[in-house]
Amino acid sequence: MSGVSIAPRVVDEEFRALPLAALADAALTAARAAGATHADLRVHRLVTQSIRLRDGRVEAVGNSTDLGFAVRVVVDGTWGFASHADLSPATAAEVARRAVTVATTLRALNRERVELAPEPVYRDATWVSSYEIDPFAVPTPEKVALLQDYSERLAAADGVDHVTAAVLQVKEQTYYADSAGSAITQQRVRLHPHLEAITVDPAAGVFETMRTLAAPAGRGWEYVTGGDGVWDWQGELARIPEWLAEKVKAPSVVAGPTDLVIDPTNLWLTIHESIGHATEYDRAIGYESAYAGTSFATPDQLGTLRYGTPIMHVTGDRTQEYGLATVGYDDEGVAGQRWDLVRDGILVGYQLDRAFAPRLGLDRSNGCSYADSPHHVPIQRMANVSLQPDPARDTTTADLISRVEDGIYIVGDKSWSIDMQRYNFQFTGQRFFRIRDGEVTGQLRDVAYQATTTEFWGAMEAVGGPSTWVLGGAFNCGKAQPGQVAAVSHGCPSVLVRGVNVLNTRSEAGQS
């Protein structure tokens, strides 16, 4: 455990000392005087550190800070936006007037008036995410030393030729104020540690890899040390060489319809691609289409589309503790919420911001607005989208495996592919274990599973109980043009899915 003391979770004084209220007063006053019917200001500070090692040696340590502010306005039903890096009240007023000019200029091109769903006013609100040790309070040499220790544990094992180790850490601070009277200060911390073991066969000219499966999380440095008991780093590092050696010698899979037990460490990505993106309302109406496409789950099917079996219950959640998309309030000042996207296997909801909620006939946004930079416009982004466990019984992963006569247990994510409507997909994984007569009998390799979204979730026979539920996720969900990147988590239990088409990736690639 780090020697850094655990301090109360408060917004850093360095951020609070910025002229936040003065910037808001100047910007909002100027925007109203220039004719804006709505205006908001967002001061955004993003602090990032990445550390990367190869074979125990430091390859790179990168530190960056992005600080600035943005003003959004609505003038005669049209958006306007402008931003700047100079945090002075005079600049804030000028930027607000520029945003109004942008809106006025674009008004002739606007085909649909902007109508914002109402939201209560939050005066002087503060929110800080859940973490014990701020990773930016831990000295960099101490963090490097821990990664070196983990690397040495892997490198010492027979069959491991190379080891990579990395941790990406982010602290994000925002101040939001709008013309309705809200003033909100927030701070959240997230990080992603991972290690990978590599074995090389020079004679055959091939290599194989195996990496840790700890998900990125909205946690502090205690997550990397294992001091919070969330992830068993020692146990996983001890077993990776064994799993890697077994994978190298494992037989290649026989393609065809197969029963699958899918671990949460793999299933989170399937949820992200086939449910998370598909239930973004801007994709569903075709508003977002240039970056990764639209969605098959269109609003005319809301309340009727059979997404999966009746045991399928999926929620959108901006309040999940330790979630990467968890906030107190979004970038439009909307409080975090939890709601249903799929209930009893039926599509019942979407992810929305304040401009899209009225289009769906709703009187409130569910808080899905976010911008990854002070110089980017907030857009509708993904909440923590999660498959809920069995509420009636705590079915274990072993219980699910025991129900399979001949199948595969899939653990960990790797590569994936999905079409532009989030419908036809293919996923691989880190580890594939053969199931025979309800028992795991050894690893397989060259496995991918392929289906359409509704076929896959319609073949889900059982979900695990709460003890199997794990929060996975990613730092790098991309959207929009210019491109923006957001972090998002997806919780899920283990699941049993019957008769899914399994591909042999070597055969698909034309290899023997």
Side-chain angles (χ1 to χ4, degrees), residues 437-465:
D437 299 322
E439 300 285 342
V440 171
T441 61
Q443 284 194 62
L444 294 167
R445 61 185 302 168
D446 309 322
V447 179
Y449 60 94
Q450 179 272 327
T452 68
T453 294
T454 52
E455 286 174 348
F456 178 83
W457 295 109
M460 185 170 64
E461 180 181 288
V463 296

Side-chain angles (χ1 to χ4, degrees), residues 2-148:
S2 170
V4 176
S5 61
I6 300 175
R9 291 185 294 110
V10 296
V11 179
D12 291 353
E13 174 59 30
E14 184 178 0
F15 185 72
R16 290 187 288 122
L18 297 173
L20 304 174
L23 291 170
D25 181 63
L28 300 178
T29 298
R32 282 191 293 260
T37 54
H38 167 86
D40 59 57
L41 168 131
R42 174 175 48 90
V43 181
H44 193 159
R45 182 173 184 257
L46 197 67
V47 183
T48 303
Q49 183 186 61
S50 62
I51 302 173
R52 187 172 70 249
L53 282 69
R54 179 174 173 83
D55 296 332
R57 296 183 177 181
V58 176
E59 272 196 334
V61 175
N63 297 280
S64 65
T65 299
D66 189 12
L67 174 62
F69 74 92
V71 178
R72 286 193 324 170
V73 300
V74 177
V75 179
D76 194 20
T78 304
W79 282 120
F81 175 86
S83 68
H84 209 284
D86 176 28
L87 303 187
S88 70
T91 300
E94 177 55 35
V95 167
R97 288 188 286 268
R98 189 185 312 150
V100 170
T101 299
V102 170
T104 302
T105 303
L106 294 176
R107 183 169 50 195
L109 302 177
N110 188 17
R111 293 180 295 175
E112 187 172 355
R113 289 182 61 87
V114 174
E115 299 290 345
L116 300 182
E119 180 69 13
V121 172
Y122 306 98
R123 302 184 190 278
D124 300 320
T126 300
W127 180 86
V128 180
S129 66
S130 297
Y131 58 92
E132 292 183 8
I133 299 174
D134 181 348
F136 293 91
V138 180
T140 298
E142 183 177 329
K143 292 183 275 194
V144 169
L146 180 63
L147 294 179
Q148 287 176 326

Side-chain angles (χ1 to χ4, degrees), residues 208-222:
E208 192 57 82
T209 66
M210 187 73 68
R211 63 170 170 80
T212 53
L213 301 181
R219 296 179 180 271
W221 190 249
E222 68 280 356

Side-chain angles (χ1 to χ4, degrees), residues 207-423:
F207 68 94
E208 192 57 82
T209 66
M210 187 73 68
R211 63 170 170 80
T212 53
L213 301 181
R219 296 179 180 271
W221 190 249
E222 68 280 356
Y223 181 48
V224 190
T225 66
D228 56 5
V230 172
W231 197 259
D232 181 12
W233 290 97
Q234 312 302 329
E236 186 177 29
L237 290 172
R239 295 208 62 187
I240 279 179
E242 167 195 336
W243 284 323
L244 180 58
E246 183 182 1
K247 183 178 181 181
V248 169
K249 300 176 183 178
S252 192
V253 71
V254 176
T258 307
D259 294 342
L260 304 178
V261 175
I262 305 180
D263 194 79
T265 54
N266 179 274
L267 189 65
W268 75 265
L269 184 55
T270 309
I271 292 170
H272 177 87
E273 297 296 341
S274 69
I275 307 173
H277 278 307
T279 57
E280 292 176 308
Y281 185 68
D282 58 348
R283 290 191 191 279
I285 63 174
Y287 184 92
E288 166 73 16
S289 60
Y291 197 128
T294 56
S295 171
F296 77 96
T298 51
D300 59 300
Q301 303 177 84
L302 187 64
T304 60
L305 175 63
R306 171 60 67 180
Y307 220 104
T309 55
I311 61 174
M312 184 181 185
H313 180 202
V314 179
T315 58
D317 195 345
R318 296 284 267 170
T319 67
Q320 173 68 51
E321 189 170 29
Y322 308 118
L324 294 172
T326 297
V327 293
Y329 308 85
D330 76 350
D331 283 356
E332 293 184 321
V334 178
Q337 301 158 50
R338 182 179 187 268
W339 69 98
D340 287 343
L341 294 169
V342 178
R343 184 174 59 246
D344 301 327
I346 303 296
L347 174 69
V348 296
Y350 289 101
Q351 303 164 73
L352 301 157
D353 62 17
R354 289 181 68 178
F356 286 128
R359 297 190 188 192
L360 198 58
L362 300 178
D363 58 5
R364 190 186 182 200
S365 162
N366 49 37
C368 291
S369 177
Y370 173 72
D372 67 355
S373 161
H375 308 299
H376 283 161
V377 177
I379 59 174
Q380 185 260 296
R381 293 310 309 260
M382 200 180 298
N384 303 305
V385 173
S386 299
L387 175 67
Q388 298 306 305
D390 186 341
R393 61 186 65 84
D394 196 11
T395 304
T396 66
T397 304
D399 292 335
L400 297 177
I401 290 172
S402 72
R403 296 166 61 169
V404 177
E405 181 178 342
D406 189 356
I408 302 172
Y409 173 44
I410 301 177
V411 179
D413 64 274
K414 202 169 186 181
S415 65
W416 58 272
S417 176
I418 194 165
D419 72 5
M420 296 293 282
Q421 287 201 311
R422 328 311 295 180
Y423 195 62

